[in-house]
Amino acid sequence: MTSTVNIKSFWAKVLAATFIFPVAYLLVLSLAESWLFPELFPVSFTAERWSTLFSTNSELFNSLLLSLVVAVMVAFISTLSGFYTSKQLAYHRKRKLWMRLSYFPFVLSPVIYAAVLYYYFIELNLAGNIGGVILGHILIAYPYSVILFSGFWGNRTQRIEQLVQTLGGNRWQTYKHVFLPLAQGLLLICFFQTFLISWFEYGLTTIIGVGKVQTLTLKVFQYINEANFYNAALASSLLILPPIILLYFNKKYLFQKRW
Amino acid sequence: MVTPLETKHISKSYGNERVLSDINLSLNSNETLSILGRSGCGKTTLLKVLGGLESPDGGTVFVNQTDIQTLQPQDRDVVYLYQEALLFPHLTVFENIAFGLRLRKIDEKKVSKRTHTMIRKLQLNGMADRMPDQLSGGQKQRVSFGRALITNPSVLLLDEPFGNLDAYTRSNMQELFKQIANDLTITAVFVTHNVKEAILMGDRIGSISEGGLTIYPSVEAFVESEKNGVQEEIEFWQSIDKNTN
């Protein structure tokens, strides 16, 4: 019995280490003054890169803020509009057709999808600006949100809605007192997932943003192309920070069933 | 005297299938009308039309002698209860029962007083803080009743509310409902496919067949009718009785 527990504990630690190691490695690399082969560890450390991050006009800090604004906007709009749209589709007589169409953006790779839509973004004066990038990300995150919520609107939810109506509840009260609390866990998961879709989006941002909208993901690739590994490690450390924070706050919904 | 519920010439079809045809009924205050019928005969459709959850093809519904045909379900003062309790899983027993009062933004003191009174009436003492997943089937159905009755609706529509309960709990719930309906002078339409339950629960009994509603003048007339399956049921129990004696 004790040996079984020990083996489980050992493998749990190995698994945890495989997740923690890349994060720790990036953090150490971002703090290394110089770390050259065949040195096992950096010879010396510096906090200069991290301190310049918070100085005025830091490009990386601006990219961090830009990415946060884009991802939060995309997650917020996609989650709420997807929640509402999925309800309309669930009770629509052509439900199956609409649901099939909502898978369309995932048939193409985001880069090809962006290239196909690029003409319209130019026509609408949305190429090369933050509004265009947000709209581009929403075009992927919104159908994802619709698909995620489609399972929520079943016959039982419809009966609950009708019950609330006969108890005297209007549409807003039904959402406020019943639908939103019932879907609370799913809403948070959707916000988290759509945030990540936007946060890590590269191909579509490159095409729609025309290189002018420098999100953090684009910065990481830029530093890698320049062979600037220390800055790439710093940008990567920043890139994984928000998902870790969101994962921490979402863990009870991701790993536990509330009701 | 005001008639709590009245319908005139209600009809409803789904495609070519006529589900309700020229339905006329009238209920007195504190009266329960049991409606019996086979599965798919249109009982639930009739309740949904009365509750505003389905639109009829023709006819009018009156509540307290007011035409409510154009009103939304939330404005009709008619509560529809399903076979399932459909309690809100994120709310306690207290909050589930108080739900209708909260929607009407009633003063907190009154909400507390009326909800606790209802909890006592439903014999749910000490369960106010429990979550729905901590209740038995019968307890859930009681909470569901409390939630419907607390706003004192003009008409209560019950769609086989005891269908999911075992025989013992069902019998208890039937008694409890009769008692509370009398206490609160509830006017109700009670739909069931169980002959015994229809007789027990209804002050009057009706049956739906081929889209038409027949309301019997008395229980005797209902029992004697050959349309509703009562005679077959009596013969069945008599044959059991003969075989065992």
Side-chain angles (χ1 to χ4, degrees):
Chain A
M1 184 73 182
T2 315
S3 65
T4 315
V5 173
N6 284 340
I7 290 168
K8 273 189 181 175
S9 168
F10 170 74
W11 284 113
K13 281 173 187 163
V14 169
L15 196 64
T18 56
F19 281 107
I20 292 166
F21 173 74
V23 181
Y25 171 75
L26 286 172
L27 204 61
V28 171
L29 188 60
S30 73
L31 288 164
E33 192 167 18
S34 173
W35 192 1
L36 299 171
F37 184 81
E39 298 293 342
L40 194 57
F41 294 104
V43 180
S44 56
F45 290 94
T46 176
E48 198 186 329
R49 280 183 219 100
W50 282 90
S51 61
T52 51
L53 175 69
F54 299 105
S55 66
T56 49
N57 293 326
S58 161
E59 274 187 27
L60 199 56
F61 188 70
N62 289 340
S63 289
L64 173 68
L65 282 183
L66 179 69
S67 281
L68 276 174
V69 169
V70 170
V72 168
M73 290 282 285
V74 169
F76 189 74
I77 295 169
S78 303
T79 302
L80 288 185
S81 55
F83 187 64
Y84 182 77
T85 311
S86 63
K87 180 176 185 283
Q88 308 310 313
L89 297 193
Y91 305 137
H92 196 276
R93 58 195 171 85
K94 291 186 177 173
R95 176 178 186 269
K96 283 183 181 169
L97 173 71
W98 288 113
M99 284 312 295
R100 263 187 230 129
L101 285 174
S102 62
Y103 281 93
F104 181 73
F106 307 106
V107 175
L108 305 172
S109 89
V111 179
I112 296 168
Y113 190 48
V116 169
L117 295 173
Y118 187 55
Y119 169 79
Y120 299 102
F121 277 79
I122 295 170
E123 284 292 313
L124 295 167
N125 213 14
L126 286 168
N129 63 49
I130 184 173
V133 170
I134 289 173
L135 181 64
H137 288 192
I138 286 173
L139 287 174
I140 293 178
Y142 170 62
Y144 173 84
S145 170
V146 171
I147 293 164
L148 188 75
F149 286 122
S150 61
F152 177 77
W153 306 105
N155 289 337
R156 187 179 159 80
T157 314
Q158 194 173 29
R159 289 197 291 275
I160 288 178
E161 181 181 15
Q162 291 178 338
L163 174 75
V164 174
Q165 282 181 320
T166 65
L167 287 171
N170 58 34
R171 191 175 294 179
W172 164 241
Q173 286 174 317
T174 310
Y175 270 92
K176 186 183 168 196
H177 297 296
V178 182
F179 288 159
L180 292 177
L182 280 181
Q184 193 184 359
L186 205 55
L187 285 163
L188 281 168
I189 288 170
C190 186
F191 185 89
F192 177 61
Q193 299 281 3
T194 48
F195 179 93
L196 290 183
I197 287 171
S198 171
W199 186 253
F200 291 115
E201 183 52 57
Y202 177 74
L204 195 140
T205 314
T206 309
I207 292 174
I208 303 292
V210 208
K212 290 179 186 171
V213 182
Q214 287 284 312
T215 60
L216 201 56
T217 314
L218 263 65
K219 275 281 174 206
V220 172
F221 280 90
Q222 184 196 318
Y223 288 134
I224 290 170
N225 286 334
E226 291 169 0
N228 189 343
F229 299 117
Y230 303 110
N231 274 347
L234 174 61
S236 300
S237 300
L238 294 173
L239 199 64
I240 55 175
L241 200 62
I244 288 173
I245 293 168
L246 275 177
L247 188 65
Y248 177 78
F249 285 113
N250 267 295
K251 67 179 188 297
K252 74 174 175 181
Y253 295 104
L254 289 168
F255 303 120
Q256 293 170 14
K257 191 174 182 291
R258 284 192 74 196
W259 46 69
Chain B
M1 189 165 164
V2 175
T3 308
L5 178 68
E6 190 177 5
T7 70
K8 285 183 180 169
H9 313 299
I10 294 287
S11 62
K12 175 80 183 171
S13 299
Y14 292 113
N16 294 328
E17 191 189 352
R18 195 139 175 99
V19 182
L20 299 174
S21 175
D22 196 29
I23 303 286
N24 296 290
L25 63 85
S26 174
L27 259 74
N28 299 317
S29 183
N30 194 23
E31 186 182 33
T32 298
L33 171 69
S34 286
I35 296 181
L36 195 72
R38 293 194 179 96
S39 294
C41 71
K43 305 186 297 282
T44 297
T45 305
L46 175 61
L47 290 196
K48 289 198 169 180
V49 166
L50 299 177
L53 303 170
E54 291 270 4
S55 301
D57 299 334
T60 321
V61 180
F62 297 90
V63 168
N64 297 325
Q65 290 173 334
T66 305
D67 181 354
I68 58 158
Q69 202 50 59
T70 54
L71 295 183
Q72 292 293 311
Q74 60 266 30
D75 302 321
R76 292 188 169 210
D77 200 22
V78 174
V79 174
Y80 185 111
L81 275 187
Y82 286 86
Q83 189 171 19
E84 292 169 88
L86 293 177
L87 299 187
F88 306 124
H90 58 291
L91 299 179
T92 60
V93 166
F94 181 94
E95 287 301 330
N96 261 287
I97 293 174
F99 189 78
L101 301 178
R102 299 266 189 234
L103 293 178
R104 287 162 180 76
K105 297 183 172 61
I106 307 279
D107 173 64
E108 184 59 41
K109 277 184 186 172
K110 285 182 187 167
V111 170
S112 177
K113 193 180 168 193
R114 285 170 67 175
T115 309
H116 280 116
T117 307
M118 184 57 76
I119 286 172
R120 275 196 299 280
K121 271 188 196 296
L122 296 164
Q123 298 159 18
L124 290 167
N125 300 328
M127 295 184 186
D129 296 326
R130 286 200 191 171
M131 298 305 284
D133 60 4
Q134 296 172 303
L135 303 175
S136 68
Q139 288 166 341
K140 282 180 186 170
Q141 203 56 273
R142 280 188 220 185
V143 175
S144 173
F145 269 127
R147 183 176 58 184
L149 296 173
I150 201 161
T151 56
N152 202 15
S154 295
V155 180
L156 187 62
L157 306 171
L158 301 118
D159 193 354
E160 303 190 36
F162 310 134
N164 284 339
L165 304 177
D166 62 81
Y168 178 73
T169 314
R170 190 176 185 138
S171 170
N172 281 346
M173 287 298 296
Q174 287 164 347
E175 272 179 41
L176 186 72
F177 173 75
K178 290 289 277 183
Q179 186 191 323
I180 293 176
N182 276 330
D183 287 354
L184 301 176
T185 57
I186 297 293
T187 304
V189 180
F190 192 104
V191 153
T192 179
H193 58 253
N194 183 309
V195 173
K196 185 183 155 195
E197 190 166 71
I199 295 171
L200 277 173
M201 302 307 293
D203 299 305
R204 278 192 295 157
I205 304 167
S207 71
I208 293 186
S209 176
E210 292 169 1
L213 173 69
T214 309
I215 297 180
Y216 299 92
S218 63
V219 174
E220 289 76 21
F222 169 71
V223 171
E224 282 165 16
S225 169
E226 290 177 357
K227 277 185 180 177
N228 48 44
V230 180
Q231 288 302 326
E232 286 96 321
E233 187 130 342
I234 290 170
E235 282 165 21
F236 171 76
W237 287 110
Q238 281 174 342
S239 69
I240 294 275
D241 196 34
K242 275 180 197 164
N243 290 339
T244 49
N245 289 328

